[in-house]
Amino acid sequence: MAGARLFVVGEQAGRTNTGPKGWVGSLSSMRSRRLSTGTDVYAATQVQTRDDTSLVSTPSVPFTVASTRRLIRKHLTDEWLIVALAAALSIGFYVWYDAHGLTAAFGDARIREVIARRVVVSRTPGLAQFGSTWLPLNAIVSAPLIWNNFLFRTGIAGSIPSMLGFVVSALYLYRTGVLVTSSRAAGWVAAAAFMLNPSVLYMQSTAMSETTSVTAIIVATYYALKLLRTGHAADLLKCATAVAAGTLVRYENWVLAFLLLPVIVYAAWRRRGYALAEAWTLLYSMLAFAGGAAWVLYNAIIFHDPLLSFFYGQSSHKYYENVPPELVPARHHAVLAFKMYGLTVALTVGWLLVALAVLGLVALLWRFRLRLATLPVYLTLFPFGFYWLVLYQGVNTENLPQFGQGPYYNIRFGLLMVPAVALLLGVLVAVPKRVARHVLVAIVLGAIAVTSVVEFSQTPLALREARHDPLFVSRTDEQQAQWFTSNYKGGTVLIEYVNSSSFMWYLLTKHDFPDRAFITDANGAQFNEALAHPESTVTWIVMNSDERTLTSRIYQTFRTSTHWRKYFVRRKSVRTPYGTTDFYERTNT
């Protein structure tokens, strides 16, 4: 039978027989037939021996170092090895930081877990519980797990999206490095720069959104690069899907969605003119911008304000106008904005790696110039320009003690530059040939290792910010939760997520507080009823003065009215970093 191969197996494989029906004769005959016909010949399923007919079976291969090595090479590819290493690092550092009580050090991490929980477990579960400000993808990924009390209270459900994103990011950085340079070494260097970054390793252990945002950027970049090489519609779909996912994680990813569009359109036009450019534009736009469009529509339907999310939930749309100048020191100061974000990136990835990445950028320009096929690599630098503009416009800010601005704040913004630095390091090591390349790879990997060790010894930058979180430092919410649990005897609690989310997180995760005991500003009509008639609807009122933004409806409603006071008595008043929290309990009268 043509096209098949001869398999010789069993005991008979070890015999030598020179007879016409023996193995040597059979093999010689079949070899002659193969050579004469130019095809492999499959021996009959029954092979005639001297005495009997035996069925062909699997060959017996002796166990040797060489065979083991071949087996490993066949099944344990670079990609599988990177996935295994990334998964081990992810789990190991999650366990370490969880054991030290640091996975929820960020106040935002606690709030994100509470939001994901209330979507599935609350008085009014549903899509409206995603809120109006933070994009929902992390909460969506956590939702299938966070309903479980164990996974919620241990923090595993909240950290799962970041941990998965860490592994996927490492894999796709390797793939991108190999795709751009045709060098496995470049892929390994890019993946190592990401996997061994101390701030990344901490952030992937938390419920924060930076890691998954980075993942979307890396995956979108990889498929954009593939698309420019293959022209396959499947790569366009994958790229647009990754972009759309990113637009549901952080608003920074919306910028990448717009930046990729002209690159894709121009690539299509270069390939087949207007017709393909139009097709790719429509296909990419329908997918890539679907996430952002859905979020704007969601706010319009649920909160009757399509722009609400861009102003931190303030319907007046004057959030940025009300920020005091001292809180946004880089506003309208271009040089200071550049210095602030530049220092943030340098402290996040390390000065040595920044210097090597600059050399990698020079190598990229020298080797590829501005070729269309490599343009997406340059786009990974967009976070630097984006955050410079954010700081310059005063839309947001950072605090760095090096500039006399107080404790660290928002320096985790530097994480979005890690993919660019990692890829540029990969490009750098791919420039030399042969021996020189091996030497440079060793040098860069050594620099990555040394930077990682030094940064861990000095505390990762992102962890420094988390440890300076006002509520984490003061432990006020944790102490309030202990006091409240010891005094709570049942009933409903009127409370608001404004400045009280962290307190609620401690109640839910550390004291097994019932989720449905809360009546919050996320419960719509029930919340309005409780504000109007607290004496008949709630047992406790937790009121925060909210001195920073004055947006607490509980505070605004009850600070001037008096009718409710004859039914409630103040049990405790606590000064917090965000105002004063008063606890009122309903009396029996």
Side-chain angles (χ1 to χ4, degrees), residues 92-172:
F93 276 90
Y94 170 81
V95 171
W96 168 265
Y97 284 122
D98 183 59
H100 289 79
L102 295 172
T103 55
F106 274 111
D108 286 359
R110 298 190 288 273
I111 297 172
R112 287 180 179 278
E113 291 184 10
V114 170
I115 290 175
R117 173 77 170 186
R118 76 189 189 192
V119 171
V120 292
V121 183
S122 68
R123 297 180 71 90
T124 55
L127 296 179
Q129 300 302 316
F130 285 122
S132 63
T133 303
W134 282 340
L135 291 159
L137 187 59
N138 277 36
I140 291 172
V141 176
S142 296
L145 302 175
I146 210 162
W147 63 269
N148 181 274
N149 289 334
F150 171 78
L151 296 178
F152 169 56
R153 291 165 183 164
T154 57
I156 295 174
S159 298
I160 281 292
S162 295
M163 295 172 71
L164 291 175
F166 177 80
V167 176
V168 174
S169 295
L171 171 62
Y172 274 87

Side-chain angles (χ1 to χ4, degrees), residues 440-453:
L440 187 56
V441 167
I443 291 173
V444 173
L445 288 176
I448 292 171
V450 169
T451 299
S452 182
V453 171

Side-chain angles (χ1 to χ4, degrees), residues 231-310:
H232 292 164
D235 292 324
L236 178 60
L237 290 172
K238 293 173 184 177
C239 174
T241 301
V243 170
T247 61
L248 290 173
V249 177
R250 290 185 68 86
Y251 295 102
E252 291 90 329
N253 294 70
W254 292 35
V255 178
L256 181 63
F258 285 101
L259 290 176
L260 279 173
L261 178 58
V263 175
I264 290 171
V265 172
Y266 179 63
W269 179 79
R270 285 280 303 271
R271 278 182 174 272
R272 290 172 51 189
Y274 176 81
L276 187 63
E278 182 183 42
W280 281 16
T281 300
L282 291 174
L283 183 57
Y284 173 83
S285 299
M286 289 177 63
L287 285 174
F289 299 116
W295 184 242
V296 171
L297 183 62
Y298 164 86
N299 274 275
I301 294 173
I302 302 297
F303 303 105
H304 312 293
D305 186 347
L307 302 179
L308 191 62
S309 63
F310 301 107

Side-chain angles (χ1 to χ4, degrees), residues 334-351 354 383-384 387-388 391 398 400 403 414 417 461:
V335 175
L336 180 58
F338 182 87
K339 288 180 178 180
M340 286 175 62
Y341 191 65
L343 181 60
T344 300
V345 174
L347 294 176
T348 300
V349 301
W351 284 101
V354 167
F384 201 103
Y387 282 117
W388 173 85
L391 296 175
E398 294 181 338
L400 293 126
F403 290 96
M417 281 296 293
L461 187 65

Side-chain angles (χ1 to χ4, degrees), residues 326 329 398-409 411 468:
E326 61 271 16
E398 294 181 338
N399 284 352
L400 293 126
Q402 292 85 345
F403 290 96
Q405 298 167 345
Y408 288 109
Y409 175 68
I411 44 80
H468 283 96

